Amino acid sequence: MSQTTIAVTINGREEAIPAASTVADLLVLRGIHTTLVAVEHNGKVLRRSEFATVKIAANDRLEIVHFVGGG
């Protein structure tokens, strides 16, 4: 059984992700902890509380920015 995918743009690159994914699903799929990133979805910066409810649709654009510590 194959899983349906949709095309989206993530950090400027087109990628296929599972259809019906939320932003939280995408982060889990990529092994990214939600407290270490900021996510912009179609030009809107999301609150972390929105990650689990915002569904990603075909042709959406996402920017995922990782926070990096250091000195």
Side-chain angles (χ1 to χ4, degrees), residues 21-38:
S21 293
T22 64
V23 171
D25 296 333
L26 175 63
L27 296 175
V28 167
L29 190 68
R30 291 175 161 242
I32 299 171
H33 197 280
T34 60
T35 60
L36 303 176
V37 296

Side-chain angles (χ1 to χ4, degrees), residues 15-66:
E15 297 187 31
I17 66 168
S21 293
T22 64
V23 171
D25 296 333
L26 175 63
L27 296 175
V28 167
L29 190 68
R30 291 175 161 242
I32 299 171
H33 197 280
T34 60
T35 60
L36 303 176
V37 296
V39 179
E40 180 182 284
H41 176 249
N42 294 330
K44 178 188 176 222
V45 177
L46 300 177
R47 295 179 181 174
R48 282 185 190 87
S49 62
E50 296 176 291
F51 290 177
T53 59
V54 173
K55 294 195 185 290
I56 302 171
N59 303 312
D60 278 1
R61 300 183 65 82
L62 295 114
E63 293 292 327
I64 302 172
V65 180
H66 297 263

